[in-house]
Amino acid sequence: MLLMLLLLLTAGTGTGAGTGAGTGTGAPPLRGPALRSSPPVPASPSASPPLLLLPKPRAEYGAPGVASARSAAEEPAGGGGEEAGEQHHHHGGGFRVVQWEWSYVQTPYIIAIWLLVASVAKILFHFSQRFTTVVPESCMLILLGLVLGGIVLIANKKQLYQLEPALFFLFLLPTIVGDAGYFMPARLFFDNLGAILMYAVVGTLWNAFCTGFSLYAAKLVGVIDERVHADLLDFLLFGALVSAVDPVAVLAVFEEVHVNDTLFIIVFGESLVNDAVTVVLYKVYISFVEVGAENVQTVDYFKGVASFLIVSIGGTLVGLVFAVLLGFITRFTKKVRIIEPLFVFLLVYLAYLTAELFSLSAILSMTFCGIGANKYVEANISQKSRTTVKYTMKTLASIAETIIFIFLGISAVDKTKWAWDTGLVSCTLIFIFIFRAMGVIGQTWVLNRFRLVPLDKIDQVVMSYGGLRGAVAFALVVLLDGEQVRAKDYFVATTIVVVFFTVMFQGLTIKPLVKWLKVPRSTSRKPTINEEIHERAFDHILTAVEDIAGLQGYHHWRDKWEQFDKNYLSKLLLRKSVYRKSELWEAYQKINIRDAISVIDQGGNVLTSARLSLPSMTSRASFPEVTNVTNYLRENGSGVCLDLQVIDNVPGAKVEEDMETHHVLAENLYKPRRRYQSAYSRHFMPLGEKERQDREVFQRNMKSRMETFKSTRHKRHKKERSLKKRRGSDSKEDGNEKPRRNVSWQDKDPVVVPVESEEEKGEHSDPEKEKEEDEGITFVARKAETPKIRPKSVPAALEGCHSPPAAPYSPTSEDSHLPWKGGVGSPPPCVSVEATKIIPVDLQQAWNQSISSLESISSPPAPAEPVHPRVSALSRLGGPRPASYTPPGSLAGSTSSVGAQVAQGSFCFPEKKEEEEEEEEEEEEGALQEMRPLMSSLRPPGAMPPPPQPPPGSAPGSGKRRNPCVYLRSFVTAPPPPPPPPPPPPPGDSRSRGPTQL
Amino acid sequence: MGSSSSRLDRVPGAKDLMEETGFSETNILCLYDRFEVLDREERGYLRLEDFEAIQQLAVNPIGDRIIGAFVFPGRETLDFPSFVRVLAHFRPTDTTWSRSGSQPEPANSRTRKLRFAFSLYDQDGDGKISRAELTEMLQAMLGMQVTDEQLQSIVGRAIQEADLDRDGAISFDEFKKMAASGQTGLKSVSSIMYRTKQQQQQQQYICGEGGTEQVHLKHSCQTLMFIFC
């Protein structure tokens, strides 16, 4: 549907682009929805020439315009294609293999080309950093438009493309306003609402009337040429449409200037809100012009005033109704996360269209819909949807803005619409500038009597200077009826000049001006939790003081509103799970996520303790207190996960290098396997390739860790102990005999049978088994050191294993052969060691906790599954090989210990309320899952049941006896069957094969 | 306003107060009216109960702290000058006041405003916001919305952010620094305080007497603005 929206947009562009060939000649079959949904024939008479133009489209297209050049280029090719088709006809008859379907694809094709041109233009502008800092993008786009328009004009002698009002108002403007409204800083907006309303209503009225009357006066005096047939009403109309500050232009210019927030919100808010004034004035004047000035009665003026109230308030109300609707709908989208963003787009857009439908102020409607819904929608929808909404809105708005400016440029090159009058143009320019300045100064003077923070002179200068006119004025003037407003052509020309002057000249100079005047800039600053706390506290304080002083001021009413919002609105519009969450907590989470992202972005793999301290602060040498670490751990528990695994790796250069190598190797080898697992679902986001790979890696990781235990044990008893015995040690009750083990397993779970057979096969050839065993040891040689440290951190895991106490490990000969081994003396890249290294002693407790929680990762509900790239690298380092090479014995051992760990993990991890609130939990997990990609895209989502690993945590009580089977079964069944059965490797080969097999 | 100067005589020590706090004549009168409204039993001072009787304050999560800032712990009562002095913290900051002046910092200076806010956090008055104090404050503000665990992490994070000397508590300097860096957090809010007509009438009804005079005061409070920073 998003695509549909885009198509809507683009379809509009195409028709608007003036090709109009579809209606004229080609008569493309209306098959696609995009074609059907292209806007009706543009309302303005100016649109008709291009439409009537095309009895011979070929001639039109044989020109090097941009789009037309493209079509011209296609033309011969198309001819060739048809010829080929005919040849085929000769040969085969009936069926044409290649067909030329230009008329069918034309409209979307041209639109796409235009979008491409606009986007490429944007890229080109940003090639030169220095250039773009000086020249605003909007200027460049207009210039580009002028050039393109010139080319088309020279080639065609006719302007094919221009900014169509219908296209502009129905598609381009809403995308920009929707974006602006939805992401409007609501608090800032409402804090300055008084000033905004004042400037928007009073200021615009003042500008409109003064400009209109002054132009009329200039006409009477004779400055404006006689040829301009216009009377007072015409000038007032013109004044009304040319006086409104334009949101698109303001946004485009001010976003690059970065003035302080207050200044920006006042100018921008004004440009949005004045839409109501402009619309009403425009409509009133149009109707007056239609009936004739002499027929206007007094009552009509009152009607005009009433109309203003209705248009503005009605527009706002429509917007708010849609906002409530949107909030309400998103409350129930839990199951259909994938289309969540669509609701946002659709309802915001519908708010706009509905307002248009009732000829209310559409911009107001859309703005207030965005502002109103933002809070609830953002709370309701998932993190992914939030990102989608954000990026889609920004993309659409950006491209719409680009197209608007390009088409403004192109439209300006159309001679037929122009009628130049120097007097009118210069008068208008001067008047709008003077009256803008006067209006701003006068209103600011009034406002400053009430404002706590007065707007000083510099602000006023910027506000006056920032009164940019833009595409709205142009579209409105193009919409004028040339029959009734005879000076239309003059007005069009003047408007174009005004728009160009304000956007280009003022847009170009406002940056130096702001610098020169030392206007306080907005600084991008990271939000802090203190700020959130204090802001809330101060709000409460001020409210309380107002109450004590007996005033009913701003804070009083805001407090009232917040009470109302909390008691009724939020209850209605927010999900239950969200409603109970505190906003402060949300803010806290957001800050944490941001920190986590920045940690990772900074190359968090080599994370020193200094960097672990929050990036938003001045970096410190170490943790100030234990709570920080516990906080991080808690974040793990609550979904805001600073990746702990990131910390564990402070490898030496050599080790890292080796790991890189293996990383690359392993990645290359994993790829073909992944193919089997690919799945497609329209309704759910499939796991990313990375994620899937990571899950696999994760299992290997776990397995290899378990093997590590195994192998150390094995090494200790290397010579005398057989595989059977080790199995026996895993599960006491089973005893040491192989048959018994088999029986017990079969009893438990018959599904394991195929595994059994394979294992038995393996056991039949014992020497081969030994080989593999050795290989396993080889692979996990590095990991073999871990048990030495692990007892400290994971006593639970070891306990569960019933393993003999870990003996001091001595590097075997196999280890030293390994290329990635690194120096034996260098600390292995192991969680615990590094942790002990960087964390002060008093943090040991916390770290132990964290690590034990990390060890419990195999239980899916635990949100912190530390499959970080680094970890996976570790695992590859440790023992990454295809499942087929897993020695059955070690597999069994690993599974049992995994089971033990799982059991342990699900007990120790603070996830006990799980059963209490199923739904809540699910919700939470969904949220966690959504956050995870942010933290690190490589984290396997815990909420989705990992295919090869059914959640053992769900049945923690069943204990380790059962879990191994489950784990094993899934392990065997879920991944695709190993390519070959384990080939008996030649004895000498095993070591050298290790790395290559990776 | 000729009549107002005569009414100013009602207010004890009005002139001194004006000089000290910077409130205008009408402000003082307005506040005095309010004071009288709060002082229902006409004792000439306010007591804790008088504040607690304010309805809106009862729902304010940190209302009791604010009251505590007015009615100092040792003293049970609050007379009018003290009332005005406390409220003087909330006057907009004078831009004219220069730091070089030898006179004490006015109550509406930025530092004093922050000091006032700080004292609301710092309940035991040791010049530091301890972890427990911040927790308490947050608990009051957030109520049941968060679990203890969440509360603890927020507090931990906040202290970690602000605590520059790493003593585990937020001193006033650190508090000030956080407030200075957080522009939006302390973003000055434009607010136009005014009494609605309805409230005026309500007040007259409550006061019973002197109603006619107070009608003139209808707009007097418009210039009374409260702000932080």
Side-chain angles (χ1 to χ4, degrees), chain A residues 762-773:
Chain A
E763 271 170 274
H764 284 294
S765 52
D766 237 359
E768 172 192 324
K769 188 145 243 354
E770 275 306 310
K771 212 61 303 154
E772 283 176 15
E773 206 73 63

Side-chain angles (χ1 to χ4, degrees), chain A residues 585 588-589 592 596 629-645 647 846-847 849-851 853-854 857 861-866 909-911 928 932 935 939, chain B residues 149 153:
Chain A
W585 176 248
Y588 169 71
Q589 286 190 323
N592 269 328
V629 178
T630 48
N631 276 349
Y632 283 123
L633 297 182
R634 228 171 249 131
E635 284 154 27
N636 265 344
S638 53
V640 196
C641 178
L642 249 191
D643 199 342
L644 274 171
Q645 282 291 324
I647 302 159
W847 269 108
Q849 241 176 45
S850 83
I851 282 150
S853 69
L854 281 178
I857 42 179
E865 293 191 357
F909 207 81
E911 210 68 30
L928 297 182
R932 206 155 285 138
M935 321 298 310
R939 197 171 296 275
Chain B
E149 209 169 285
S153 24

Side-chain angles (χ1 to χ4, degrees), chain A residues 273-293:
Chain A
V273 178
N274 69 17
D275 173 68
V277 181
T278 315
V279 166
V280 171
L281 279 183
Y282 185 78
K283 280 181 183 152
V284 167
Y285 286 138
I286 287 276
S287 62
F288 284 4
V289 167
E290 274 170 4
V291 299

